Structure formats: structure tokens, C-alpha cells
Amino acid sequence: MAEIELRIANMSDCPLLTKIDLDFDSEFVWTSQIMDELDSYSINLQKIKLPKTIHVPFQANNISALENMIKRKEVLIARFENQIVGFSRIETDETENQFIIKTGGVKPEYRKKGIGTAILTGVQEMAQQNHISRLVFTLQAKNDPAIHFLMNRGFKFCGYQEFYFSNFEIALFYAKNIR
């Protein structure tokens, strides 16, 4: 069986990265309800089963943004069977000593083959080499497959932000301390 190779992306990878399909299907969505009263403020998040599975298209970054990420060495790629099959975009938040993973995924035909786990392990190793103590993932509220992927690997819900994405979706944040 072919091995999964992880490395930091270079500029020649850019055209290939833009062709990776990060769309996903989901049976659930998370909704929020905010109660703002005179003496209290509460937020309720609820996972709701949709009447049918929905297909969610990925809102791609523009090419120049991706090129800048590559120049800053923020993109870790996975190669498998002589092709790029997945990636993760990593921002360093030095103030909080954490990596923030905002974008990433694996080509649909290569999902459930250990590639996502390999990328996550690579991000974790990069964090440890850079003395980073926490990983934080930003996910769309509809991305139930990724939420389960992270929860099964020890990540915990740590917050949310309404209207975070360009399509005004809620962002859910999942984090894990790695030291």
C-alpha cells in the first residue's frame, strides 16, 4: 500500500490545491439561539437532524490568498498514490500559543483511508516542533462529518461565532491541548 507523504506546500502545488473538492454531505446542522435579557445572556446550540442529506459546496479561497498562505508556509499537504489528495491551512496565533486550522480536507474519493488522520498528526507534530500547545479548528455549523472526525480524536467544542463565513454561516470552534 502507498504511504502518505506530508510536506509544506510550495508554489507549484497551488494549481493542484485549487482543484481539491472540499464539498461535503451532511445530515445535521447546528443552530444557535441567543437569549439577551436585562440581567442575563445565554446561548443555546442545538444539533438538528435535517429532513434529508444536504450537499454543501466549499466556498473556495481566491488564488492570491492561497498563494500568500503558501508563501507564509501555512499549508500542509498530503500526497498519496503520487498525487496531492488533501491539505490543511494553518495559521499561527502566537498571542494564544495556538494553531488555528481554518481550511482543509481530503478529496472525496480518498476519505476514510487515514489521510485526514495523517494530516492531523502532521499538524500536531508541527505544533510540537514550534512549541505550540493548542490546536483550534474552525468549522461550518453544517460540517457534521468534520465535527465527528475531530470529536473522535479528542477535540472539544470551545466556542462559536455567528456570521463568520462569507455565506454568513455560524462557525463552530473545536480545540485540543497537545501538551
Side-chain angles (χ1 to χ4, degrees), residues 35-42:
M35 308 284 258
D36 189 5
E37 298 176 10
L38 185 59
D39 294 332
S40 68
Y41 187 84
S42 63

Side-chain angles (χ1 to χ4, degrees), residues 82-139:
N82 296 318
Q83 63 177 310
I84 295 175
V85 296
F87 74 96
S88 186
R89 180 183 157 234
I90 307 154
E91 281 186 15
T92 302
D93 179 349
E94 292 177 5
T95 306
E96 298 294 328
N97 194 32
Q98 62 189 10
F99 277 170
I100 302 170
I101 297 86
K102 292 189 171 184
T103 309
V106 176
K107 286 182 175 182
E109 62 271 25
Y110 289 94
R111 292 177 186 162
K112 300 192 183 287
K113 296 182 184 289
I115 295 164
T117 300
I119 293 171
L120 181 57
T121 300
V123 169
Q124 201 163 314
E125 289 171 0
M126 284 176 57
Q128 290 169 334
Q129 290 168 1
N130 289 286
H131 307 289
I132 299 293
S133 60
R134 180 174 158 107
L135 302 179
V136 178
F137 277 80
T138 306
L139 304 161

Side-chain angles (χ1 to χ4, degrees), residues 23-172:
D23 294 1
F24 60 91
D25 294 330
S26 184
E27 297 178 19
F28 297 91
V29 66
W30 287 82
T31 63
S32 66
Q33 180 180 21
I34 300 172
M35 308 284 258
D36 189 5
E37 298 176 10
L38 185 59
D39 294 332
S40 68
Y41 187 84
S42 63
I43 301 166
N44 182 34
L45 289 173
Q46 184 176 11
K47 181 179 174 178
I48 297 176
K49 178 136 175 69
L50 297 167
K52 65 178 185 171
T53 301
I54 59 169
H55 182 77
V56 182
F58 176 73
Q59 296 182 357
N61 294 317
N62 65 42
I63 299 288
S64 64
L66 180 59
E67 288 172 347
N68 287 330
M69 291 174 219
I70 291 171
K71 287 177 187 173
R72 292 190 304 266
K73 301 189 184 306
E74 294 179 340
V75 181
L76 180 69
I77 63 167
R79 289 183 53 85
F80 184 71
E81 298 178 344
N82 296 318
Q83 63 177 310
I84 295 175
V85 296
F87 74 96
S88 186
R89 180 183 157 234
I90 307 154
E91 281 186 15
T92 302
D93 179 349
E94 292 177 5
T95 306
E96 298 294 328
N97 194 32
Q98 62 189 10
F99 277 170
I100 302 170
I101 297 86
K102 292 189 171 184
T103 309
V106 176
K107 286 182 175 182
E109 62 271 25
Y110 289 94
R111 292 177 186 162
K112 300 192 183 287
K113 296 182 184 289
I115 295 164
T117 300
I119 293 171
L120 181 57
T121 300
V123 169
Q124 201 163 314
E125 289 171 0
M126 284 176 57
Q128 290 169 334
Q129 290 168 1
N130 289 286
H131 307 289
I132 299 293
S133 60
R134 180 174 158 107
L135 302 179
V136 178
F137 277 80
T138 306
L139 304 161
Q140 287 186 38
K142 293 176 187 170
N143 199 344
D144 194 57
I147 291 167
H148 279 280
F149 173 81
L150 292 172
M151 289 174 60
N152 288 337
R153 284 149 184 86
F155 285 79
K156 303 288 184 208
F157 173 78
C158 66
Y160 87 105
Q161 184 175 336
E162 290 189 321
F163 312 114
Y164 183 84
F165 296 103
S166 59
N167 64 354
F168 304 111
E169 283 276 339
I170 297 170
L172 301 180

